[in-house]
Each structure stands twice: as C-alpha cells, then as structure tokens.
Amino acid sequence: MHPMTFQEFKKKRHNRQKCTWFGLPFILVAGWFFPVLGYIVPAGAAAALLIAPYKGRYWCDWLCPMGSFYDLYLNKISKKGTVPSFFRKRLFKTATGLIVLGAASLLVYGMWGTVNGAGLALLTMLAASVLLGVALGIRYHARGWCSLCPVGTLANACSLNRHHLRIDISCRSCGVCELYAG
C-alpha cells in the first residue's frame, strides 16, 4: 500500500467532512422543535474525549460538525489571517472553558425540571458557540474557534500528545500539517 499523497488525504478528509457538517444545522434547526436533540451536544463532546487517547484530536479534525462546517463553508468568506496568539495561551483557553462550562451549567440549571428545558439550554450554548465561531472565522481564520474550543482543549489534554493538532500563529491554511493530523 502506497503512502497517501496530500491531494488524496485532502479529498478523503473533504469527503468525510461533507458527511458530518450536516449535523450542525440539523441539530440547530430541528432542536428548536425537538429540544431533546440538545443532548447530542454533550454526546459529541464525550465522543471527542473518548477518541482522544487513541487518535488525538481526530474528532476535531475529521468528525466535528462545527469544524467541518467551518472548513467547507466559512473558509470561503474567511480573511484567512492569523488567529491572535493569546487564543492559544493555556490561561485564556482555561478561562474560556470555565466560562462556557459555567454558562452551560447556569442555563441547564435555570431550565432544569424538564428534559426539553435542559436540551434547549444545551442548544442555546451550541448556537452561541457557532455564532462566536462564525465571527472569529470571518475576522481571523475559518477555524478560529478551534483555537480556543473547550472540547478541543480537553481532547488535546487527553490525547497524551498523540497526533497533536497545532493551529500555529503562522498558519496560512496550506494543509501540510493535515497529513499527520489523523
């Protein structure tokens, strides 16, 4: 079996992302009618963390519906600039994670009492994350949100440095690093 070329790799990833991106608008739209779909959000986070010790941030690069959406669609309107370096600082990522976890906890607690209420709270957090991700993606880089995503940060910590995904300050989306990301 011959090693995969960059073009073959990129096509394989692109094809997989074409299958996963649809989960994002599906959950966001259908979830308002069926709030129980909000529970898919922590299930996706759990999947990322379960995969991480074996495949690193494979979820983030290949399976995450938000990341796939950003790559396939937001990338077309992104400035493709550099993400501010402070986004990658451990303190900033930790603070972001704590804020997201705190906001999600308050929302779930405030809407607790019904299965649909908690699901709606989770959908609200997803919608807020997507809106922030779109703003960062347009302003900086399509995957700007991925630089500080709490799930990706935890997945990286669980990965034991396997298949380390780096979004470097000098990233220009050339794709060379993708050959080794998953």
Side-chain angles (χ1 to χ4, degrees):
M1 183 172 214
H2 68 82
M4 199 180 321
T5 67
F6 177 68
Q7 292 305 323
E8 291 169 332
F9 176 85
K10 196 165 181 139
K11 183 177 180 182
K12 179 179 176 184
R13 180 174 181 246
H14 182 79
N15 288 338
R16 185 154 310 152
Q17 287 181 324
K18 285 194 303 189
C19 296
T20 61
W21 80 271
F22 185 74
L24 182 64
F26 173 76
I27 292 168
L28 285 174
V29 174
W32 298 109
F33 300 101
F34 306 102
V36 74
L37 290 175
Y39 291 98
I40 293 174
V41 175
L49 297 178
L50 289 171
I51 291 170
Y54 307 101
K55 299 281 265 177
R57 287 183 61 181
Y58 185 85
W59 172 272
C60 299
D61 200 36
W62 289 75
L63 301 173
C64 175
M66 280 176 69
S68 296
F69 171 76
Y70 296 154
D71 281 345
L72 296 174
Y73 300 102
L74 192 58
N75 195 41
K76 294 176 182 177
I77 59 172
S78 175
K79 290 185 177 179
K80 296 178 181 74
T82 58
V83 176
S85 61
F86 70 87
F87 279 21
R88 286 182 280 298
K89 300 286 184 195
R90 183 173 292 171
L91 179 63
F92 189 78
K93 288 181 169 197
T94 301
T96 301
L98 291 173
I99 290 168
V100 169
L101 181 62
S105 298
L106 287 173
L107 274 171
V108 169
Y109 178 77
M111 295 181 159
W112 197 254
T114 67
V115 172
N116 284 340
L120 193 57
L122 293 166
L123 286 167
T124 302
M125 286 304 301
L126 176 63
S129 296
V130 169
L131 288 175
L132 180 57
V134 168
L136 292 172
I138 291 170
R139 171 64 179 92
Y140 297 112
H141 188 280
R143 279 197 176 233
W145 168 254
C146 300
S147 294
L148 59 130
C149 172
V151 175
T153 300
L154 286 173
N156 187 48
C158 294
S159 72
L160 310 172
N161 290 323
R162 293 178 193 203
H163 307 285
H164 187 69
L165 176 65
R166 286 192 101 93
I167 303 172
D168 193 62
I169 296 170
S170 61
C171 176
R172 295 288 178 217
S173 299
C174 70
V176 172
C177 63
E178 293 174 5
L179 284 171
Y180 307 103

